[in-house]
Amino acid sequence: MNALVTIFSGRTEKAPLVPLSALTDPDARGRYRVQVRTPTGELIQRLVTTGLTDKNNAEVLDGLSVSDDVVIPVVGGQ
């Protein structure tokens, strides 16, 4: 029995991380949308580009700042 394994390793600093559950399905260009709460409480959608990911989180390379308030959608509409 043989196995081909590829291991990717990386490190980043000062980049926003978001839970994978906050991301929509990717668009045709591989970008995702996330909901962000503005200082006035309004929810808006932002288009983001992701980088490194693990089982739980994705690094956001473009589209968010570290201080942005990302909202995780509620499944089932409650």
Side-chain angles (χ1 to χ4, degrees), residues 3-23:
L4 176 61
V5 178
T6 305
I7 299 174
F8 294 97
S9 175
R11 177 182 166 154
T12 188
E13 293 182 16
K14 297 185 181 178
L17 285 179
V18 296
L20 293 176
S21 59
L23 300 173

Side-chain angles (χ1 to χ4, degrees), residues 7-64:
I7 299 174
F8 294 97
S9 175
R11 177 182 166 154
T12 188
E13 293 182 16
K14 297 185 181 178
L17 285 179
V18 296
L20 293 176
S21 59
L23 300 173
T24 62
D25 290 331
D27 67 10
R29 295 176 59 190
R31 299 171 302 175
Y32 298 85
R33 293 188 189 281
V34 296
Q35 287 187 355
V36 176
R37 187 181 318 277
T38 68
T40 62
E42 177 185 9
L43 292 180
I44 60 170
Q45 296 247 334
R46 289 258 183 90
L47 196 58
V48 298
T49 304
T50 60
L52 297 173
T53 62
D54 62 18
K55 291 181 184 179
N56 302 309
N57 299 300
E59 169 194 29
V60 177
L61 300 175
D62 186 50
L64 284 180

